[in-house]
């Protein structure tokens, strides 16, 4: 059986064949941290988390990178409105974002680059585009010259000539005279008085939004990745501009597969703040179980729009109760029995529907097929009846548990989320960490404690914490985890 997915670039379903068999490099555009996350963010990150989990279940090693845009007009404006330091706005919202994602059972990315941490890479990228004449300096700004890139519009299907007459609303705000073409977009913005700014070869200022992703994709994952994903509103201009920047720079396709999730509409209107129907994730989960929301999202195919209404969410909450009750019943009834036999017929059907462009709504139908008999038997038992054919029921429960874990409806600990990476430039990946731990062990054995400490501190600076402990065989071993997540990613190295 083969996995096919819809590629926005070709507008067709295509066979999924990553550049390196078995390895998937995936980049998802993250949030601009100026406010709390809303239901649209909730949908997007549930969808990409589910894709990631499924790929891992399917046997791929997935490296998942998702950025934070931590410098932007909206952040600066918010800081001014609230009379706070912009960095405080950023930190508060990153913390809130992480809490929201955890509530929705969304796994942490392997790497979460922030724009302000990659300024030297961003500057070097811009300089490269200037050298190749894809970009030009105009006073303190630097702009991308879209006329120079022949493929401009290939992702969104937009033609630059039509765009010029139509002047889309999301085209860069400044229609300044120094631009050669109104569609040219800013790579670097000149510092304005009273606004945060950073030094660069182009003078003091800050990066544009699009360039950060191009620079961070390249730095964290390389020139060509397998999946680049985001909300459908990012197709244009953001992803179109990322393609223009990256492909002009490297001459290689930025991503083999471009994936986009559909909008969420509240009572049939496209969700936006201006319509006054803005709902945050934390507001929602005061009223509903976060897993009911996750199930609600996965009931619809990820590319289709979703209508959010209270009635629809209440129905999803009922559905979630069925799955939850079945899981709990199985836990009480069978957890003492140590057997690990999922039903291959269900696993195969699950794979068949998920292999068809991640059809989570069909996958959920299978989960209900498994959950309903369990709940029925539970009800019989509650009324004093006996459980018949416990062997078959136990298998159903185990299958349900496994497949619910793939859809992220329950926490799982036995799923290997971070595999080996092929990137050698980036220390944060597992293989590089393991190599450093081995080197540190060697230094300690040679009583070179200064070197051992240097390696420990270098890893610490990158958020990797080492713990020395005695293993089962009495020998000392070093395990590690990421500072931001002591539970999800730990690996033993002797
Ligand atoms: Zn992006």
């Amino acid at each position: 059986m083969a996995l096919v997915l819809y590629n926005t670039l070709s507008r067709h379903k295509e066979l999924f064949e990553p550049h390196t068999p078995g390895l998937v490099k995936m980049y998802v555009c993250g949030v601009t941290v100026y406010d709390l996350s809303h239901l649209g963010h909730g949908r997007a990150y549930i969808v990409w988390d589910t894709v990631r989990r499924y790929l891992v279940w399917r046997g791929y090693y997935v490296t998942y990178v998702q950025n934070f845009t931590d410098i932007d007009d909206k952040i600066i404006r918010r800081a001014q409105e609230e009379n706070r330091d912009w960095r405080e706005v950023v930190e508060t919202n990153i913390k809130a974002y992480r809490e929201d994602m955890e509530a929705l059972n969304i796994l942490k990315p392997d790497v979460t680059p922030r724009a302000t941490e990659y300024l030297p890479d961003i500057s070097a990228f811009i300089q490269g585009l200037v050298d190749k004449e894809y970009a030009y300096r105009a006073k303190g700004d630097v702009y991308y010259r879209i006329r120079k890139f022949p493929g401009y519009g290939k992702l969104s299907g937009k033609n630059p000539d039509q765009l010029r007459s139509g002047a889309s609303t999301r085209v860069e705000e400044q229609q300044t005279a120094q631009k050669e073409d109104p569609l040219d977009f800013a790579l670097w913005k000149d510092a304005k008085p009273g606004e945060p700014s950073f030094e660069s070869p182009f003078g003091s200022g800050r990066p544009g939004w699009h360039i950060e992703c191009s620079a961070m994709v390249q730095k964290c994952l390389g020139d060509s990745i397998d999946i680049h994903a985001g909300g459908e509103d990012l197709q244009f201009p953001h992803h179109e501009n990322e393609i223009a920047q990256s492909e002009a720079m490297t001459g290689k396709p930025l991503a083999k597969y471009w994936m986009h999730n559909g909008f969420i509409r509240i009572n049939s209107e496209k969700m936006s703040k201006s319509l006054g129907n803005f709902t945050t994730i934390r507001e929602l989960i005061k009223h509903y179980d976060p897993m009911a929301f996750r199930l609600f999202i996965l009931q619809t195919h990820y590319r289709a729009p979703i209508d959010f209404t209270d009635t629809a969410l209440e129905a999803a909450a009922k559905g979630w109760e069925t799955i939850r009750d079945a899981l709990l019943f199985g836990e009480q009834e069978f957890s003492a029995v140590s057997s690990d036999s999922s039903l291959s017929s269900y696993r195969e059907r699950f794979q068949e529907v998920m292999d068809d462009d991640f059809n989570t709504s069909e996958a959920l139908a299978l989960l209900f097929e498994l959950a309903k008999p369990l709940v029925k038997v539970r009800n019989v038992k509650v009324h004093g009846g006996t459980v018949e054919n416990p062997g078959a029921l136990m298998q159903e429960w185990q299958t349900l548990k496994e497949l619910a874990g793939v859809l992220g409806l329950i926490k799982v600990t036995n799923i290997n989320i971070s595999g080996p990476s092929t990137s050698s430039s980036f220390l944060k990946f597992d293989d590089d960490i393991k190599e450093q731990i081995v080197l540190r062990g060697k230094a300690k054995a040679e009583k070179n404690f200064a070197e051992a400490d240097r390696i420990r501190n270098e890893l610490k600076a990158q958020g990797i914490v080492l713990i020395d402990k005695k293993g089962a065989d009495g020998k000392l071993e070093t395990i590690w985890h990421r500072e931001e997540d002591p539970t999800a990613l730990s690996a033993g190295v002797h």
Side-chain angles (χ1 to χ4, degrees):
M1 286 199 280
L3 171 62
V4 293
L5 53 81
Y6 182 87
N7 189 351
T8 309
L9 195 60
S10 65
R11 315 247 156 208
H12 287 292
K13 283 187 190 172
E14 294 178 13
L15 186 65
F16 181 60
E17 287 177 308
H19 289 99
T20 308
L23 293 180
V24 179
K25 295 181 177 187
M26 180 168 180
Y27 184 94
V28 177
C29 290
V31 285
T32 301
V33 280
Y34 73 103
D35 205 347
L36 293 171
S37 302
H38 54 66
L39 302 187
H41 299 126
R43 179 183 194 188
Y45 300 117
I46 286 171
V47 162
W48 306 123
D49 180 61
T50 306
V51 167
R52 175 193 191 181
R53 285 169 185 266
Y54 181 67
L55 291 171
V56 171
W57 185 76
R58 201 68 171 69
Y60 293 100
Y61 284 115
V62 181
T63 305
Y64 182 105
V65 180
Q66 185 182 311
N67 67 311
F68 282 123
T69 297
D70 67 346
I71 184 70
D72 175 87
D73 289 333
K74 294 194 201 97
I75 295 170
I76 296 168
R77 219 176 300 136
R78 183 57 58 98
Q80 284 165 348
E81 281 162 16
E82 296 180 351
N83 202 15
R84 295 160 82 194
D85 188 275
W86 67 277
R87 280 160 294 218
E88 203 189 309
V89 172
V90 164
E91 295 308 325
T92 316
N93 286 306
I94 285 182
K95 187 167 172 281
Y97 171 84
R98 288 187 163 144
E99 288 165 2
D100 292 345
M101 294 302 120
E102 203 184 327
L104 297 174
N105 202 22
I106 289 165
L107 296 163
K108 290 196 171 74
D110 294 306
V111 190
T112 44
R114 300 185 189 190
T116 60
E117 289 172 349
Y118 285 77
L119 290 167
D121 304 296
I122 293 171
S123 292
F125 207 109
I126 297 173
Q127 188 59 55
L129 290 172
V130 172
D131 294 343
K132 289 174 188 269
E133 294 178 7
Y134 281 97
Y136 56 95
R137 298 174 69 161
K139 296 190 178 154
D141 299 332
V142 184
Y143 293 101
Y144 187 93
R145 182 178 277 131
I146 70 135
R147 263 178 303 165
K148 169 106 176 152
F149 184 70
Y152 197 80
K154 68 179 175 182
L155 179 72
S156 56
K158 291 185 195 292
N159 168 336
D161 293 324
Q162 286 167 348
L163 284 169
R164 252 173 226 117
S165 55
S168 162
T169 48
R170 287 211 63 178
V171 174
E172 288 291 323
E173 287 165 17
Q174 314 116 292
Q175 297 290 331
T176 42
Q178 62 254 37
K179 281 198 210 176
E180 290 176 4
D181 185 302
L183 291 177
D184 289 351
F185 57 91
L187 300 171
W188 189 260
K189 299 177 181 185
D190 192 13
K192 292 197 198 103
E195 290 192 350
S197 60
F198 309 89
E199 289 313 313
S200 84
F202 327 103
S204 148
R206 59 194 165 86
W209 172 36
H210 316 299
I211 193 70
E212 72 174 85
C213 284
S214 280
M216 294 189 296
V217 167
Q218 190 183 44
K219 186 72 184 178
C220 299
L221 293 168
D223 290 347
S224 268
I225 65 170
D226 299 299
I227 298 176
H228 196 315
E232 74 181 20
D233 54 332
L234 296 182
Q235 276 180 33
F236 185 85
H238 185 56
H239 288 164
E240 199 69 69
N241 291 351
E242 275 189 49
I243 289 175
Q245 294 162 159
S246 297
E247 298 189 0
M249 188 68 165
T250 66
K252 298 173 198 160
L254 171 56
K256 199 164 173 188
Y257 306 96
W258 286 86
M259 295 178 72
H260 295 94
N261 66 277
F263 288 127
I264 187 162
R265 295 181 300 194
I266 298 193
N267 298 321
S268 295
E269 282 180 282
K270 187 186 148 193
M271 196 178 76
S272 77
K273 282 191 190 183
S274 54
L275 292 174
N277 55 14
F278 175 73
T279 308
T280 61
I281 293 169
R282 50 191 54 205
E283 199 180 303
L284 173 91
I285 61 182
K286 278 184 203 158
H287 305 285
Y288 294 98
D289 188 314
M291 289 306 98
F293 179 65
R294 188 159 179 136
L295 189 141
F296 168 76
I297 295 299
L298 296 178
Q299 274 175 340
T300 302
H301 190 267
Y302 74 91
R303 284 188 282 119
I306 293 187
D307 273 326
F308 179 93
T309 61
D310 279 329
T311 329
L313 201 62
E314 269 149 29
K318 281 248 168 349
W320 165 240
E321 274 170 30
T322 304
I323 291 175
R324 186 200 59 195
D325 290 351
L327 288 166
L328 287 174
F329 173 67
E331 204 72 50
Q332 289 159 1
E333 204 68 21
F334 309 120
S335 63
V337 191
S338 71
S339 154
D340 185 16
S341 56
S342 286
L343 293 162
S344 55
S345 58
Y346 275 91
R347 295 177 100 247
E348 278 163 21
R349 283 166 69 197
F350 181 82
Q351 186 173 324
E352 200 178 306
V353 295
M354 288 292 282
D355 269 0
D356 183 11
D357 196 26
F358 308 96
N359 191 338
T360 52
S361 95
E362 290 287 329
L364 278 170
L366 290 170
L367 263 63
F368 284 117
E369 257 183 56
L370 288 160
K372 280 177 183 160
L374 283 154
V375 173
K376 214 168 164 185
V377 173
R378 182 203 66 157
N379 294 342
V380 169
K381 215 188 164 191
V382 166
H383 293 103
T386 47
V387 175
E388 281 169 35
N389 201 357
L393 270 183
M394 184 182 73
Q395 278 194 315
E396 282 173 10
W397 165 65
Q398 277 174 335
T399 315
L400 175 65
K401 205 167 121 177
E402 179 185 356
L403 303 183
V406 180
L407 298 183
L409 291 166
I410 50 170
K411 290 212 190 292
V412 277
T413 48
N414 60 348
I415 192 165
N416 176 17
I417 286 306
S418 184
S421 164
T422 50
S423 163
S424 57
S425 63
F426 205 72
L427 192 60
K428 282 180 185 170
F429 291 116
D430 300 12
D431 279 356
D432 300 338
I433 295 163
K434 285 175 191 161
E435 195 185 313
Q436 292 299 306
I437 292 174
V438 169
L439 289 174
R440 175 171 167 268
K442 230 171 113 195
K444 275 170 72 181
E446 292 163 2
K447 303 221 180 309
N448 185 353
F449 297 110
E451 173 64 8
D453 285 348
R454 188 196 63 76
I455 293 172
R456 175 193 281 271
N457 291 337
E458 194 175 284
L459 287 170
K460 176 123 194 14
Q462 299 184 50
I464 307 298
V465 180
L466 303 186
I467 300 163
D468 295 321
K469 63 167 202 134
K470 271 218 174 86
D473 54 3
K475 274 197 218 150
L476 205 63
E477 63 174 2
T478 302
I479 58 164
W480 62 272
H481 66 79
R482 289 170 211 275
E483 208 168 23
E484 60 200 43
D485 188 2
T487 54
L489 300 167
S490 64
V493 177
H494 289 273

